[in-house]
Amino acid sequence: MFRNLISEFFADLNRQKLRSSLTLIAIGWGTLSVIILLAFGRGLGTGMLNGMLGAGNQVIIVYGGQTGMAYDGLPMGRPIRFTEADVEQIRRAVPGIEYSSPQYGRWGMRLEHDGNITTTYMEGVGPDFEIMRTMYPASGGRFINEMDIEQNRKVLFLGDEIAVTLFGDKDPIGGEVKLNGVPFTVIGVMEPKMQTSMNNGPDANRAIIPYSSFRNLYGNQTVGSILIRPGDPSLQPQVKEGVINYLSAKYNFHPEDNEAIPMWDFIEDEKMTRAVAVGLEYFLFTVGFFTLMIAGVGVANIMFVVVKERTREIGLKKAIGARKVHIISQFLFESIFISLLGGAAGLAISIGIVEFVLSLNLNEGAGEFLGQPEISAVSVIVTTGVLVLIGVLAGIFPAIKAARLDPVESLRYE
């Protein structure tokens, strides 16, 4: 039975070569549009997310601001500044915090090695900064650890680009860099990463030292900001509330005074980025879907032609006892099969295009986003379902028309 359906299908295609070829091309093009749009859309969404996480992975940055309202007899406009002790006290007082670090910062730091000189923004931080800011060391190096903090070591962690500026092709690990004239030992270089959000420049050009060494060198009494990360993103509301309650009680400002301690919430940013990425995929799928539906008109057209050309054959089948369901099934099968055949061709070409783009290794500029397309199993399954739907919709009316033909009139058809 199945073999007969296949042979009849290809016989119909052979009788309508031009029409069939154009229909298959239309279906293939529609499938190609859907798959490629979704692949590049997903790549763009993933790139946006990775770029945002490159600046902060589920981190909440708490800045010291100034009070925006009078409170408890105190005037508005009071500066709020934190100390290193606040970081540890917040971690103990607020449940759910897994990582935390003070953050000092200083512009215009002069770095020199072997005659190579550059300036950058330097930060003094703790060991947890590595995970929170995704500043992972490349092979052979390490990030700042607790011993560096306790012993006020003059050690330096470099961004990947500034390391090249200072050391060129040489291995920086163990090398000496003079930081405003003070010798520091390089302990690690950041593994290259994508970063779209940033403050004070990209991490690739950053110099990092232990916060205790920063304080001893420059005498800072207050930290620039506090970084915290919940153990679970779902704890974000409770953690933020706990931090606000603790700091408002200690520094005597209204808990609803958002100007007193501005926050940069990467968890909220991540939710928004994921929502944008999903919305983009839905939009691109809709565009491709309508392209496919237009191609379905061609399938319906060719099926009506097939019914017309096989009128006598249909009449003969009904005369010898073929039931309506058999006639409908035959034409529905052919309609679905032609949709899937064109779709398979479009999918194969799409895979080839995606693999070619991936082989180019576009890792700079826009290539970081557009150069990493991804064909997901969900997009293939959904597209296959759409192709079947098109086959059913395009074939059902010609199939019903064929099933309703009068056998006697069909046998007289010329």
Side-chain angles (χ1 to χ4, degrees):
M1 175 65 177
F2 185 74
R3 183 179 298 177
N4 289 337
L5 290 174
I6 294 292
S7 62
E8 288 176 355
F9 169 75
F10 282 105
D12 289 335
L13 289 184
N14 189 54
R15 283 194 293 268
Q16 294 287 334
K17 291 185 178 67
L18 179 59
R19 195 186 300 268
S20 299
S21 299
L22 292 176
T23 301
L24 287 171
I25 290 173
I27 289 292
W29 176 255
T31 304
L32 176 70
S33 300
V34 173
I35 297 296
I36 289 296
L37 285 172
L38 288 177
F40 279 89
R42 172 160 290 218
L44 177 59
T46 301
M48 290 168 55
L49 181 61
N50 290 339
M52 188 274 296
L53 293 177
N57 186 4
Q58 298 177 351
V59 179
I60 301 171
I61 305 180
V62 186
Y63 298 96
Q66 63 180 21
T67 56
M69 58 177 74
Y71 180 69
D72 198 22
L74 298 171
M76 63 182 294
R78 290 182 298 115
I80 303 297
R81 298 294 180 264
F82 312 127
T83 65
E84 290 179 12
D86 287 330
V87 181
E88 185 59 33
Q89 289 167 2
I90 287 173
R91 189 163 182 168
R92 292 176 180 174
V94 181
I97 296 178
E98 184 173 6
Y99 302 100
S100 62
S101 171
Q103 184 178 24
Y104 294 103
R106 192 179 183 91
W107 269 110
M109 300 301 297
R110 186 175 186 269
L111 283 75
E112 180 180 358
H113 170 78
D114 198 21
N116 297 320
I117 300 173
T118 187
T119 58
T120 189
Y121 182 78
M122 185 188 70
E123 290 180 306
V125 301
D128 287 353
F129 194 83
E130 172 189 1
I131 293 173
M132 291 189 288
R133 286 286 296 272
T134 62
M135 296 188 73
Y136 300 115
S139 177
R142 67 173 178 85
F143 197 73
I144 293 164
N145 61 28
E146 290 292 347
M147 292 296 294
D148 298 328
I149 302 294
E150 293 174 7
Q151 298 178 14
N152 302 321
R153 291 173 177 171
K154 291 182 174 61
V155 292
L156 182 66
F157 183 87
L158 295 173
D160 53 297
E161 292 183 8
I162 199 171
V164 173
T165 300
L166 291 170
F167 288 87
D169 295 332
K170 295 188 298 183
D171 183 7
I173 308 302
E176 182 181 278
V177 172
K178 288 186 178 180
L179 191 63
N180 278 8
V182 179
F184 275 72
T185 301
V186 178
I187 56 172
V189 174
M190 186 184 77
E191 194 174 68
K193 67 176 180 178
M194 185 188 301
Q195 182 181 358
T196 52
S197 299
M198 61 192 74
N199 58 357
N200 301 311
D203 291 345
N205 286 316
R206 194 66 49 91
I208 304 291
I209 67 173
Y211 67 80
S212 57
S213 302
F214 190 106
R215 173 180 17 90
N216 287 342
L217 281 172
Y218 303 108
N220 291 60
Q221 299 300 311
T222 59
V223 301
S225 56
I226 298 174
L227 277 69
I228 56 176
R229 174 177 164 174
D232 189 321
S234 64
L235 299 175
Q236 171 223 29
Q238 298 95 302
V239 167
K240 289 179 70 173
E241 182 181 4
V243 170
I244 291 171
N245 289 339
Y246 171 82
L247 291 175
S248 64
K250 179 174 181 179
Y251 293 101
N252 210 22
F253 61 85
H254 197 287
E256 296 180 4
D257 187 353
N258 296 326
E259 296 181 24
I261 51 168
M263 293 187 181
W264 187 357
D265 189 343
F266 282 86
I267 298 175
E268 281 298 322
D269 287 355
E270 182 178 345
K271 291 177 183 177
M272 292 176 60
T273 302
R274 290 186 186 277
V276 169
V278 171
L280 179 64
E281 287 195 53
Y282 280 137
F283 171 75
L284 295 176
F285 172 76
T286 301
V287 174
F289 173 79
F290 281 109
T291 304
L292 265 180
M293 293 304 292
I294 292 171
V297 175
V299 178
N301 185 42
I302 196 173
M303 293 310 300
F304 275 114
V305 172
V306 168
V307 169
K308 184 176 180 180
E309 289 183 345
R310 293 170 60 180
T311 299
R312 288 176 58 83
E313 176 191 330
I314 294 168
L316 180 60
K317 287 182 176 180
K318 296 189 71 175
I320 61 176
R323 299 168 58 189
K324 286 185 178 181
V325 67
H326 296 145
I327 303 297
I328 292 175
S329 299
Q330 175 185 345
F331 287 99
L332 272 180
F333 168 80
E334 292 189 14
S335 177
I336 294 171
F337 196 76
I338 196 172
S339 296
L340 292 177
L341 187 63
L347 176 60
I349 296 172
S350 301
I351 293 173
I353 292 173
V354 168
E355 291 300 324
F356 172 73
V357 172
L358 290 174
S359 70
L360 298 178
N361 292 320
L362 303 175
N363 295 318
E364 296 183 1
E368 289 185 287
F369 299 98
L370 302 180
Q372 301 298 319
E374 177 187 346
I375 296 179
S376 66
V378 173
S379 67
V380 174
I381 293 171
V382 170
T383 303
T384 302
V386 171
L387 288 169
V388 172
L389 175 63
I390 288 173
V392 171
L393 294 177
I396 189 67
F397 295 108
I400 292 174
K401 179 182 177 181
R404 288 176 176 175
L405 290 174
D406 182 82
V408 176
E409 294 297 327
S410 298
L411 291 172
R412 291 176 181 172
Y413 182 82
E414 295 295 337

